């Protein structure tokens, strides 16, 4: 599901809300999560899971097109840990 599909679903389930407000709320939620992660904070959405920053070590890689070896610097990455309810609902659907 992409952002526009999420907005469409929310508009369908909450027809009393103006479309502009739904779009604004979704955008603001994404902005808040992004800001918190950029500040090194942990974001917990109860029932869904937790987003937090992790790090990847520097490593060597080979460019598949040229065959040249080069180094990749260490970097931060966003990690997601699903919540208990989310894991349980996914296992029931399988």
């Amino acid at each position: 599901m992409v952002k526009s599909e999420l907005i469409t679903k929310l508009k369908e389930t909450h027809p009393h809300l103006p479309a502009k407000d739904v779009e604004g709320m979704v955008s603001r939620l994404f902005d808040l999560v992004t800001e918190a992660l950029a500040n090194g904070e942990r974001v917990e959405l109860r029932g869904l899971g937790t987003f937090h920053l992790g790090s990847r070590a520097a490593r060597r890689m080979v460019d598949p097109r040229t065959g040249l070896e080069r180094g990749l610097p260490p970097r931060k990455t966003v990690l997601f840990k699903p919540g208990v309810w989310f894991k349980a609902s996914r296992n029931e659907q399988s």
Side-chain angles (χ1 to χ4, degrees):
M1 176 181 291
V2 295
K3 185 177 176 181
S4 60
E5 292 171 338
L6 176 61
I7 291 169
T8 302
K9 286 216 179 248
L10 286 171
K11 284 185 217 175
E12 290 171 2
T13 57
H14 301 285
H16 59 283
L17 294 174
K20 201 89 166 151
D21 289 351
V22 173
E23 290 176 32
M25 286 186 279
V26 170
S27 292
R28 184 64 182 141
L29 173 67
F30 288 171
D31 290 344
L32 289 171
V33 170
T34 303
E35 287 173 25
L37 289 170
N39 292 331
E41 297 174 40
R42 182 174 164 263
V43 177
E44 181 178 339
L45 300 173
R46 295 282 167 120
L48 180 66
T50 305
F51 295 91
H52 62 279
L53 285 180
S55 59
R56 290 187 179 216
R59 62 186 178 96
R60 305 245 13 85
M61 57 124 352
V62 176
D63 186 336
R65 278 191 266 170
T66 63
L68 294 175
E69 188 175 305
R70 63 184 190 135
L72 289 177
R75 61 181 186 236
K76 301 259 185 203
T77 186
V78 176
L79 302 172
F80 174 72
K81 182 179 178 187
V84 175
W85 174 84
F86 183 73
K87 282 188 212 175
S89 69
R90 291 299 310 146
N91 288 333
E92 290 172 6
Q93 293 176 2
S94 302

